[in-house]
Amino acid sequence: MKQLTSLTIMIFQIVTFSGFSQLKTNIELKDNWYYLNGEKFFIKALGYEIGARPGQHPYEGKRADDLDLLAFDLENIKNGGYNTIRTWSHFSEAQLKLVQKSGLKLIMGLEVNPEEDYGNPKFINDRKNYVKQVLSYAKKYDCIITYLVINEPQTDHIHTVTGKAFVDLMKTLIDVIHTEHPGIPVTLSANAMISDYMDESFFDVYAYNCYNHNEGQTATMGFKDYIKGLNELNGLNKPFITTEFGYSVSPSGGKGMYGSNTLQQQNEGLISNYRDLIDAGAVGMCPFYYADGWWKGGNKNDHALNQPEEWFGFWGYSDLNDKYGSPRPVWFAMRDYMKGLIISPKNNSMHTSTTIPLELYNNSDVKKVVVKYRDNIIYTKNIQKEGYFSDQLSINPTGIEDMELSFEFFDEKNQVIKNESIQILASKKAFELPKLTIEVTPDSDLNGGKIASIKTKIETNENFTLVGDLKVSYNTHLGWEIGPEVVVSIENQSDKKVITSENFFTIPKNCWVVNASAGISVKYGKFVFKIHDQKIIYRGNWAKEVGRK
């Protein structure tokens, strides 16, 4: 496989193809960022499927190009503040021409069925030929900035066909793409909760579908820290992008935060997730998604009220004849939120210095940024251009101080167009935090027993207060089921220096990997964060090729 540590893909030059000229885009991957034409590029994408309108099925029969509707959608997406779209399947050349013309970038999915036998020579050869056929024309369009080769492969299936077969297929397709479309990054869209054990180091970019359903490691570690932990497990040495996240507003159906959310909950959930994922280290966002997919419930002509998968759209459709749709409130909320993105300081971050990095990603409307602390202006700067901006922010904490920083973004008329607060914990000197660690039995091989134990140890600190209950999870990766979770009250133990707990779980026979985790919230003034720990345990050595070492 050709390694791409720093991707210098294309030089600036004018070329002509397909009847029009364009300026080639120079892409690099470095410093955990995408660089386009020498500038850091934050991917403000939106998940998008053509052919998913009422009465349509994007994966049934021969798909129409729908160029008029595609042009309509692309214009909306660009006006909505997005700079990229993410797809689950390839675009035709006619469709790519429209994307190129729109100025949007594209993270393009390639159709590799995650339920096939990855080691079957016929399937391997079929997918190689398919990828070559698509890239025979796709390589002419520099709107493509990443290829996604598979979506949400399942743990049990990988175990069945073997981890080696999965990794070999992925490396084969990566090599084909690197050869046919030199230098364009390649990754997959793994589901965070079911693919947490997977080693993504052989891909060019780390990518996950991330849903905050408040279960498993999300419940124990918190959404931000759980996703940040995945990024850290991957090594923090490549760009990390989120290829799905969102909230369904289905009238009924689903459980927890999966379905039946109000329009307001969709608004707040998307913005909260966006914030958390930036704080987790993501430099690319692809929320799910532009339009409702009526086909997902099995009947493309009916918008099933109790099928959450049909109601994630930022745009909805009134009836079977509505081809253009209309935006939901989340569309406007996200448009305004993305006008100025605060990359640093991270929300709920800790600092032991009087200066902290300031990083923003602004759209063209932003002409000035002001930062306030307790109503006093501590920073103001005129913004000269859109895109990435960096500087230093000076602070002067007294002791350990919870600081709520208010960011205000102004337009050319000096009107506030966005505001957002960032909570940090600051001190001029290093300070100790409470600690939580777990000990898991069996600790190295699930074949070591039928009953598992998670021993939790919390070491408290007098400066910090434990909040709520201790949550313990034994994520067994059985399909989409997360596995058992235990809630342990520490109400009568909060004055202890060390708090211990032990919980037991049955290990299913068909469980091939477990993520055991525990966590609890901690508070200092307004500053609330999680302390947590997690351990990944495999059954035997089936995952030696695909799992984290």
Side-chain angles (χ1 to χ4, degrees):
M1 184 185 72
K2 297 180 180 177
Q3 296 294 327
L4 298 185
T5 53
S6 178
L7 295 180
T8 304
I9 296 178
M10 299 170 184
I11 62 172
F12 295 96
Q13 57 182 328
I14 297 292
V15 296
T16 302
F17 58 82
S18 304
F20 63 91
S21 297
Q22 67 156 358
L23 185 66
K24 281 289 193 179
T25 300
N26 175 38
I27 305 175
E28 294 179 279
L29 300 184
K30 63 180 183 180
D31 307 324
N32 300 341
W33 274 82
Y34 280 73
Y35 281 72
L36 267 60
N37 297 341
E39 300 285 342
K40 285 184 176 180
F41 183 76
F42 189 94
I43 298 171
K44 297 191 291 184
L46 184 59
Y48 178 81
E49 285 181 297
I50 190 68
R53 282 172 161 77
Q56 294 182 325
H57 193 305
Y59 309 111
E60 185 178 79
K62 181 174 173 57
R63 292 192 296 265
D65 281 341
D66 278 336
L67 296 182
D68 289 344
L69 293 175
L70 176 60
F72 174 81
D73 293 344
L74 293 178
E75 183 178 6
N76 285 336
I77 291 169
K78 192 169 183 179
N79 290 338
Y82 300 92
N83 58 25
T84 307
I85 57 174
R86 176 256 160 125
T87 70
W88 285 256
S89 56
H90 70 272
F91 272 5
S92 69
E93 183 161 13
Q95 292 169 334
L96 284 178
K97 286 181 181 179
L98 275 184
V99 178
Q100 186 82 32
K101 183 179 179 181
S102 75
L104 291 165
K105 300 302 180 185
L106 173 61
I107 297 174
M108 190 163 81
L110 295 173
E111 295 173 41
V112 177
N113 188 342
E115 298 177 357
E116 290 284 351
D117 180 355
Y118 308 140
N120 184 318
K122 183 177 182 301
F123 177 67
I124 295 170
N125 191 58
D126 176 74
R127 291 302 85 188
K128 286 173 62 177
N129 290 336
Y130 157 74
V131 170
K132 288 179 180 179
Q133 187 274 323
V134 173
L135 268 63
S136 67
Y137 64 84
K139 63 186 178 183
K140 297 183 290 185
Y141 298 87
D142 74 334
C143 56
I144 300 171
I145 60 171
T146 303
Y147 288 103
L148 299 177
V149 291
I150 198 168
N151 187 68
E152 295 187 340
Q154 298 286 311
T155 304
D156 189 64
H157 186 65
I158 293 176
H159 172 267
T160 299
V161 301
T162 76
K164 183 179 186 305
F166 174 77
V167 172
D168 286 350
L169 174 63
M170 294 297 100
K171 288 183 176 180
T172 295
L173 297 180
I174 291 169
D175 279 347
V176 170
I177 295 170
H178 285 172
T179 300
E180 298 297 321
H181 200 169
I184 300 300
V186 184
T187 188
L188 81 169
S189 43
N191 185 284
M193 194 61 73
I194 65 172
S195 300
D196 49 6
Y197 70 91
M198 188 182 293
D199 179 9
E200 291 196 6
S201 63
F202 56 90
F203 291 100
D204 302 321
V205 173
Y206 305 130
Y208 291 95
N209 299 342
C210 308
Y211 287 91
N212 182 14
H213 291 155
N214 198 27
E215 54 190 355
Q217 298 97 285
T218 304
T220 57
M221 301 170 64
F223 185 59
K224 179 201 73 175
D225 282 3
Y226 166 47
I227 303 303
K228 180 181 179 182
L230 288 178
N231 197 18
E232 291 170 344
L233 287 171
N234 280 321
L236 295 172
N237 59 357
K238 295 179 180 179
F240 160 52
I241 62 175
T242 59
T243 41
E244 285 183 25
F245 63 99
Y247 287 84
S248 168
V249 292
S250 60
S252 60
K255 60 180 180 178
M257 289 186 279
Y258 176 62
S260 301
N261 294 287
T262 66
L263 296 174
Q264 184 63 25
Q265 286 171 325
Q266 187 184 39
N267 276 12
E268 294 171 354
L270 260 297
I271 290 174
S272 176
N273 285 178
Y274 214 101
R275 177 71 264 160
D276 280 345
L277 292 167
I278 289 176
D279 297 334
V283 295
M285 303 291 195
C286 310
F288 187 76
Y289 62 147
Y290 176 73
D292 283 343
W294 287 30
W295 62 277
K296 283 179 170 283
N299 182 355
K300 63 186 179 183
N301 296 319
D302 176 58
H303 205 184
L305 302 182
N306 62 349
Q307 173 48 265
E309 285 290 329
E310 293 195 7
W311 293 83
F312 275 91
F314 288 16
W315 279 57
Y317 298 85
S318 60
D319 56 42
L320 192 58
N321 298 314
D322 184 1
K323 299 302 181 185
Y324 293 96
S326 60
R328 292 189 173 128
V330 67
W331 179 262
F332 304 104
M334 287 304 304
R335 180 197 63 188
D336 293 343
Y337 185 78
M338 293 188 300
K339 288 180 178 179
L341 298 177
I342 305 165
I343 311 300
S344 178
K346 309 292 190 188
N347 198 38
N348 275 21
S349 57
M350 302 180 194
H351 304 269
T352 54
S353 174
T354 56
T355 58
I356 55 179
L358 175 64
E359 295 178 279
L360 308 173
Y361 202 86
N362 304 307
N363 76 358
S364 59
D365 294 334
V366 176
K367 301 302 180 185
K368 184 175 73 172
V369 174
V370 171
V371 183
K372 296 178 181 177
Y373 176 55
R374 293 180 178 171
D375 300 323
N376 293 307
I377 295 176
I378 63 171
Y379 180 88
T380 184
K381 192 77 170 183
N382 291 328
I383 303 300
Q384 303 300 323
K385 64 175 184 177
E386 65 179 308
Y388 180 78
F389 170 86
S390 65
D391 202 350
Q392 294 285 326
L393 195 61
S394 296
I395 57 175
N396 187 29
T398 302
I400 302 174
E401 189 170 354
D402 58 316
M403 304 181 70
E404 187 174 9
L405 306 178
S406 174
F407 286 73
E408 297 176 351
F409 297 82
F410 294 80
D411 64 12
E412 62 184 357
K413 296 180 180 179
N414 209 33
Q415 300 293 312
V416 175
I417 56 175
K418 182 198 169 177
N419 58 68
E420 183 176 4
S421 66
I422 296 291
Q423 197 80 40
I424 67 171
L425 193 63
S427 172
K428 295 174 184 176
K429 299 179 180 179
F431 53 90
E432 290 189 7
L433 299 172
K435 298 177 183 178
L436 185 152
T437 54
I438 63 173
E439 180 183 330
V440 185
T441 306
D443 64 344
S444 59
D445 189 342
L446 296 176
N447 286 321
K450 297 181 180 180
I451 301 296
S453 162
I454 300 179
K455 293 180 180 178
T456 306
K457 179 181 178 182
I458 302 172
E459 299 173 69
T460 62
N461 183 301
E462 62 182 1
N463 291 318
F464 298 87
T465 304
L466 300 179
V467 180
D469 297 322
L470 168 69
K471 293 183 178 180
V472 184
S473 171
Y474 201 72
N475 181 357
T476 51
H477 295 73
L478 298 181
W480 293 109
E481 296 300 319
I482 299 303
E485 178 182 310
V486 174
V487 177
V488 181
S489 174
I490 54 96
E491 185 177 0
N492 298 323
Q493 303 184 68
S494 57
D495 59 340
K496 293 181 179 180
K497 290 186 177 180
V498 177
I499 300 172
T500 59
S501 172
E502 184 173 14
N503 295 277
F504 298 92
F505 305 87
T506 300
I507 306 174
K509 291 182 180 180
N510 57 338
C511 168
W512 314 121
V513 58
V514 157
N515 190 322
S517 63
I520 192 169
S521 294
V522 177
K523 186 176 183 181
Y524 184 95
K526 293 181 180 180
F527 189 87
V528 180
F529 62 102
K530 287 270 192 177
I531 55 173
H532 48 75
D533 194 12
Q534 65 175 327
K535 307 288 184 188
I536 297 175
I537 308 107
Y538 301 98
R539 186 179 294 278
N541 63 357
W542 76 270
K544 65 180 181 179
E545 289 89 3
V546 70
R548 302 185 188 282
K549 307 300 186 285

